Amino acid sequence: MRGAIIRMFTVSESRVQEGKLMQSPRFAALAFVALLATAAQAKRPIVPNDIARIVEVEDPQIDAAGSWIAYAATTSDVEKDKIESHLWMVSWDGKQQVQLTSRKGESEHTPRFSPDGHWLAFISDRTDEDENDQLWLMNRSGGEAVMLPGLAGSVDDLVWSPDSKRLALVVTDPDPKPVTPTTGAAEDKKRPQPIVIGRYFFKQDEVGYLEKKRARLMLYDLATNQARRLTTGNNDEALPAWSPDGKQIAFTSNRDPDPDRSYNSNLYIVAIGTGPSEPRALTRFVGADNDPEWESYPAWSPDGKTIAYLEGGPVELFSYGVRKLAVVGTDGSAPHILTAALDRNVINPHWTADGRSIRFLVEDDGTQRLASVNVMSGAMASVVDGFRVFASPTPVAAGHVAILLSTPSAPNEIYALEGRDVRRLSHQNDAWLDEVAVATVKPTRFKAKDGTEVHGFEILPAGASGKEAMPTVLINHGGPQSQFDASFDLYWQIPAGHGFAVISSNPRGSTGRGEAFAKALYADWGGPAVIDALAAIDDAVARGVADPKRLLVGGWSYGGMLTNYIIASDTRFRGAMSGASIGNAFAGYGTDQYIRDYEAELGKPWENPEVWLRNSYPFFQNQKIVTPTLFMVGVNDFNVPALNSEQMYQALRSRNIKTRLILYPEEFHGLKRPSFVKDLWERWLAWYDEVLK
């Protein structure tokens, strides 16, 4: 529900035959989309089966010579029902593309070059029966990768030491050994054990029930193939970063007496000694410094005297607060905020080679740009921007920087940063893009009924003029502390490929427009976001894009929650899809992973029942809902558990409102099984066809 936008679909590596337009009930939009496809140079529309054609390019890593960029490429195979991720390299001049791993049924991720250029380390579970991720090493001169011994548990992260002789690892403790019966017919089977819970924060999506396991900072010595703990204490640790001289490691940890009850992550450094050492705190801000969920590593200055990191927003605002770029001296001097006046979230700081400036990403009003700040003067400037989304810039290597770039018309690929421009390096999605008619995306601006200016997007099927009113679906984003942006998004492209105009907004509660805009939704989840989203539809109707008699609405996670609030507030929509959502906040308390957020924002339900009731009106006032609604959710979702969708379905079914509930076995908040992802899209679109015909 919270945090970054929830992508309910994933892509996988193996390519399969492209799908044909799904066989669903016919209505006028299908004929219209066929006409548009003909007009768009005979390219075909994007359909659910295209989840198997997209390659998700991520995690670029540049070698010390600035000559090669390694990255992970993830694909889906609907027929084999598998997702695979493999490693690739592309040369700086873009002339050579090399696939490093390709074993079917196996996946690799987190590629990291050694500073001396001899090795590429990565993480994979390819030989582990318990599906623990292990550390692997590949000689860049050639030969098979080998798994490094001496590690128990699952490897989450790795960073090379400057001398290439050691690695800092984050390793999650191994599962306790199961009790195995010694007699009886089931002696070869593991005996289920009771799950003993004693933690305040006790469950997490995809992880399950949380026991005593922790993610530990470890040092791995390549000469001895031995690993040892670097720190004392019983705490989770994340985001390690070596000092330039290789004598210390910076990392993030919440070391409160009961870290389950706070957001108080801080930046620490630990010396590389002969045994576990007590780390030294560099920051003491009570909020989330360098929040691990943001996956933004602390960055040492070239002289090793200063570390750049993210300072969290006000602790009471948790995810609503703006993350700022800060620097702190390793001598214990006070932190200094460099982007105090920016009022935008920042991420991924990296120093320039001369140590005078820091480059970082800025989440800004439907885009994400690369900016820089002079450390001494505080002067800020954009490096590359525009109606597009940059991500994952690499540190400077031999004067070179690589970066991911996505646009509304193309998924992420790797680019070389050259001054204030970029040059394309990878081409993983070119063949697929040559086949499909990509819907056009343009930004919109309009006023909510209280006068607030809201920004959003209009997505029209390829070839559509926007001058003829079309069946239109309002798609809401997850979070709510996130934003729709100018990146390629199947959330928009698949419905547009089916013949719908798509309208989306970044309503209050969204990030990208400052802290005040985000916190306007605080403790009022169905308040201003509803009128902002409805204003997007009003604007589309007024401009003649949306047919007011053929309006639809849908979304996943908070996008599904907002859908519930909308249909409990407005009856004009012909159909709705509410994915992994909640309509009754009371049902969330103690059953999902947001206990800290709930008590910080809404208070305890027995102390503030009126606040909880106000945020639960889709359930307690469901008699206002007349819209046929499809509910969809993963059975194992701990983020927004299935019981919430079941409850809303039951309420509407009790009142004989047309409704349906789809449950995906063994799936979490974001569906992963390719056949289920494809099924979800087909059922979603078929539901809209059914209610419109």
PDB file of all heavy atoms in Angstrom, residues 123-136:
ATOM      1  N   ILE A 123      24.792 -12.317  -7.418  1.00  0.00           N
ATOM      2  CA  ILE A 123      23.993 -13.103  -6.485  1.00  0.00           C
ATOM      3  C   ILE A 123      23.050 -14.002  -7.271  1.00  0.00           C
ATOM      4  O   ILE A 123      22.455 -13.575  -8.268  1.00  0.00           O
ATOM      5  CB  ILE A 123      23.198 -12.183  -5.535  1.00  0.00           C
ATOM      6  CG1 ILE A 123      24.157 -11.373  -4.656  1.00  0.00           C
ATOM      7  CG2 ILE A 123      22.235 -12.977  -4.665  1.00  0.00           C
ATOM      8  CD1 ILE A 123      23.480 -10.321  -3.807  1.00  0.00           C
ATOM      9  N   SER A 124      22.916 -15.256  -6.827  1.00  0.00           N
ATOM     10  CA  SER A 124      22.013 -16.196  -7.485  1.00  0.00           C
ATOM     11  C   SER A 124      21.653 -17.309  -6.508  1.00  0.00           C
ATOM     12  O   SER A 124      22.431 -17.636  -5.607  1.00  0.00           O
ATOM     13  CB  SER A 124      22.680 -16.801  -8.726  1.00  0.00           C
ATOM     14  OG  SER A 124      21.854 -17.791  -9.314  1.00  0.00           O
ATOM     15  N   ASP A 125      20.461 -17.896  -6.708  1.00  0.00           N
ATOM     16  CA  ASP A 125      20.060 -19.054  -5.907  1.00  0.00           C
ATOM     17  C   ASP A 125      20.136 -20.327  -6.737  1.00  0.00           C
ATOM     18  O   ASP A 125      19.505 -21.331  -6.425  1.00  0.00           O
ATOM     19  CB  ASP A 125      18.647 -18.861  -5.351  1.00  0.00           C
ATOM     20  CG  ASP A 125      17.585 -18.849  -6.445  1.00  0.00           C
ATOM     21  OD1 ASP A 125      17.950 -18.872  -7.637  1.00  0.00           O
ATOM     22  OD2 ASP A 125      16.389 -18.797  -6.111  1.00  0.00           O
ATOM     23  N   ARG A 126      20.945 -20.313  -7.788  1.00  0.00           N
ATOM     24  CA  ARG A 126      20.906 -21.367  -8.814  1.00  0.00           C
ATOM     25  C   ARG A 126      21.192 -22.767  -8.291  1.00  0.00           C
ATOM     26  O   ARG A 126      20.790 -23.751  -8.918  1.00  0.00           O
ATOM     27  CB  ARG A 126      21.860 -21.029  -9.964  1.00  0.00           C
ATOM     28  CG  ARG A 126      23.291 -20.755  -9.525  1.00  0.00           C
ATOM     29  CD  ARG A 126      24.268 -20.715 -10.700  1.00  0.00           C
ATOM     30  NE  ARG A 126      24.041 -19.615 -11.621  1.00  0.00           N
ATOM     31  CZ  ARG A 126      24.888 -19.310 -12.613  1.00  0.00           C
ATOM     32  NH1 ARG A 126      26.014 -20.003 -12.754  1.00  0.00           N
ATOM     33  NH2 ARG A 126      24.623 -18.317 -13.434  1.00  0.00           N
ATOM     34  N   THR A 127      21.915 -22.933  -7.184  1.00  0.00           N
ATOM     35  CA  THR A 127      22.210 -24.286  -6.693  1.00  0.00           C
ATOM     36  C   THR A 127      21.685 -24.543  -5.294  1.00  0.00           C
ATOM     37  O   THR A 127      21.958 -25.598  -4.718  1.00  0.00           O
ATOM     38  CB  THR A 127      23.735 -24.534  -6.679  1.00  0.00           C
ATOM     39  OG1 THR A 127      24.351 -23.625  -5.763  1.00  0.00           O
ATOM     40  CG2 THR A 127      24.326 -24.361  -8.053  1.00  0.00           C
ATOM     41  N   ASP A 128      20.931 -23.630  -4.728  1.00  0.00           N
ATOM     42  CA  ASP A 128      20.513 -23.780  -3.337  1.00  0.00           C
ATOM     43  C   ASP A 128      19.107 -24.364  -3.265  1.00  0.00           C
ATOM     44  O   ASP A 128      18.147 -23.773  -3.772  1.00  0.00           O
ATOM     45  CB  ASP A 128      20.547 -22.420  -2.626  1.00  0.00           C
ATOM     46  CG  ASP A 128      20.482 -22.562  -1.111  1.00  0.00           C
ATOM     47  OD1 ASP A 128      19.384 -22.835  -0.605  1.00  0.00           O
ATOM     48  OD2 ASP A 128      21.520 -22.404  -0.469  1.00  0.00           O
ATOM     49  N   GLU A 129      18.969 -25.505  -2.632  1.00  0.00           N
ATOM     50  CA  GLU A 129      17.664 -26.166  -2.533  1.00  0.00           C
ATOM     51  C   GLU A 129      16.676 -25.365  -1.706  1.00  0.00           C
ATOM     52  O   GLU A 129      15.468 -25.463  -1.905  1.00  0.00           O
ATOM     53  CB  GLU A 129      17.842 -27.558  -1.923  1.00  0.00           C
ATOM     54  CG  GLU A 129      18.618 -28.525  -2.811  1.00  0.00           C
ATOM     55  CD  GLU A 129      18.738 -29.904  -2.194  1.00  0.00           C
ATOM     56  OE1 GLU A 129      18.221 -30.084  -1.066  1.00  0.00           O
ATOM     57  OE2 GLU A 129      19.314 -30.794  -2.841  1.00  0.00           O
ATOM     58  N   ASP A 130      17.166 -24.579  -0.749  1.00  0.00           N
ATOM     59  CA  ASP A 130      16.288 -23.775   0.099  1.00  0.00           C
ATOM     60  C   ASP A 130      16.016 -22.398  -0.491  1.00  0.00           C
ATOM     61  O   ASP A 130      15.430 -21.540   0.165  1.00  0.00           O
ATOM     62  CB  ASP A 130      16.909 -23.616   1.490  1.00  0.00           C
ATOM     63  CG  ASP A 130      17.015 -24.943   2.222  1.00  0.00           C
ATOM     64  OD1 ASP A 130      16.115 -25.773   2.044  1.00  0.00           O
ATOM     65  OD2 ASP A 130      18.007 -25.141   2.953  1.00  0.00           O
ATOM     66  N   GLU A 131      16.472 -22.167  -1.750  1.00  0.00           N
ATOM     67  CA  GLU A 131      16.265 -20.913  -2.458  1.00  0.00           C
ATOM     68  C   GLU A 131      16.925 -19.733  -1.757  1.00  0.00           C
ATOM     69  O   GLU A 131      16.479 -18.594  -1.884  1.00  0.00           O
ATOM     70  CB  GLU A 131      14.773 -20.651  -2.692  1.00  0.00           C
ATOM     71  CG  GLU A 131      14.109 -21.719  -3.550  1.00  0.00           C
ATOM     72  CD  GLU A 131      12.661 -21.385  -3.864  1.00  0.00           C
ATOM     73  OE1 GLU A 131      12.103 -20.458  -3.258  1.00  0.00           O
ATOM     74  OE2 GLU A 131      12.080 -22.067  -4.723  1.00  0.00           O
ATOM     75  N   ASN A 132      18.006 -19.998  -1.019  1.00  0.00           N
ATOM     76  CA  ASN A 132      18.805 -18.910  -0.477  1.00  0.00           C
ATOM     77  C   ASN A 132      19.684 -18.343  -1.582  1.00  0.00           C
ATOM     78  O   ASN A 132      20.284 -19.087  -2.365  1.00  0.00           O
ATOM     79  CB  ASN A 132      19.698 -19.412   0.673  1.00  0.00           C
ATOM     80  CG  ASN A 132      18.908 -19.645   1.940  1.00  0.00           C
ATOM     81  OD1 ASN A 132      17.976 -18.917   2.255  1.00  0.00           O
ATOM     82  ND2 ASN A 132      19.275 -20.681   2.685  1.00  0.00           N
ATOM     83  N   ASP A 133      19.779 -17.022  -1.634  1.00  0.00           N
ATOM     84  CA  ASP A 133      20.672 -16.388  -2.591  1.00  0.00           C
ATOM     85  C   ASP A 133      22.109 -16.516  -2.105  1.00  0.00           C
ATOM     86  O   ASP A 133      22.401 -16.243  -0.930  1.00  0.00           O
ATOM     87  CB  ASP A 133      20.310 -14.912  -2.763  1.00  0.00           C
ATOM     88  CG  ASP A 133      19.121 -14.707  -3.679  1.00  0.00           C
ATOM     89  OD1 ASP A 133      18.849 -15.599  -4.492  1.00  0.00           O
ATOM     90  OD2 ASP A 133      18.477 -13.648  -3.582  1.00  0.00           O
ATOM     91  N   GLN A 134      23.002 -16.910  -3.000  1.00  0.00           N
ATOM     92  CA  GLN A 134      24.399 -17.108  -2.658  1.00  0.00           C
ATOM     93  C   GLN A 134      25.304 -16.212  -3.502  1.00  0.00           C
ATOM     94  O   GLN A 134      24.871 -15.641  -4.511  1.00  0.00           O
ATOM     95  CB  GLN A 134      24.795 -18.579  -2.852  1.00  0.00           C
ATOM     96  CG  GLN A 134      24.064 -19.538  -1.928  1.00  0.00           C
ATOM     97  CD  GLN A 134      24.383 -19.287  -0.466  1.00  0.00           C
ATOM     98  OE1 GLN A 134      25.513 -18.985  -0.103  1.00  0.00           O
ATOM     99  NE2 GLN A 134      23.370 -19.407   0.384  1.00  0.00           N
ATOM    100  N   LEU A 135      26.553 -16.089  -3.062  1.00  0.00           N
ATOM    101  CA  LEU A 135      27.532 -15.226  -3.706  1.00  0.00           C
ATOM    102  C   LEU A 135      28.298 -16.005  -4.763  1.00  0.00           C
ATOM    103  O   LEU A 135      28.832 -17.091  -4.489  1.00  0.00           O
ATOM    104  CB  LEU A 135      28.495 -14.675  -2.644  1.00  0.00           C
ATOM    105  CG  LEU A 135      29.614 -13.745  -3.109  1.00  0.00           C
ATOM    106  CD1 LEU A 135      29.042 -12.468  -3.713  1.00  0.00           C
ATOM    107  CD2 LEU A 135      30.530 -13.415  -1.928  1.00  0.00           C
ATOM    108  N   TRP A 136      28.375 -15.448  -5.967  1.00  0.00           N
ATOM    109  CA  TRP A 136      29.053 -16.090  -7.086  1.00  0.00           C
ATOM    110  C   TRP A 136      30.121 -15.153  -7.642  1.00  0.00           C
ATOM    111  O   TRP A 136      30.003 -13.926  -7.565  1.00  0.00           O
ATOM    112  CB  TRP A 136      28.061 -16.451  -8.191  1.00  0.00           C
ATOM    113  CG  TRP A 136      27.130 -17.562  -7.814  1.00  0.00           C
ATOM    114  CD1 TRP A 136      26.087 -17.495  -6.943  1.00  0.00           C
ATOM    115  CD2 TRP A 136      27.177 -18.902  -8.285  1.00  0.00           C
ATOM    116  NE1 TRP A 136      25.464 -18.704  -6.830  1.00  0.00           N
ATOM    117  CE2 TRP A 136      26.118 -19.599  -7.655  1.00  0.00           C
ATOM    118  CE3 TRP A 136      27.985 -19.590  -9.166  1.00  0.00           C
ATOM    119  CZ2 TRP A 136      25.853 -20.937  -7.889  1.00  0.00           C
ATOM    120  CZ3 TRP A 136      27.732 -20.922  -9.414  1.00  0.00           C
ATOM    121  CH2 TRP A 136      26.675 -21.589  -8.776  1.00  0.00           C
TER     122      TRP A 136
END
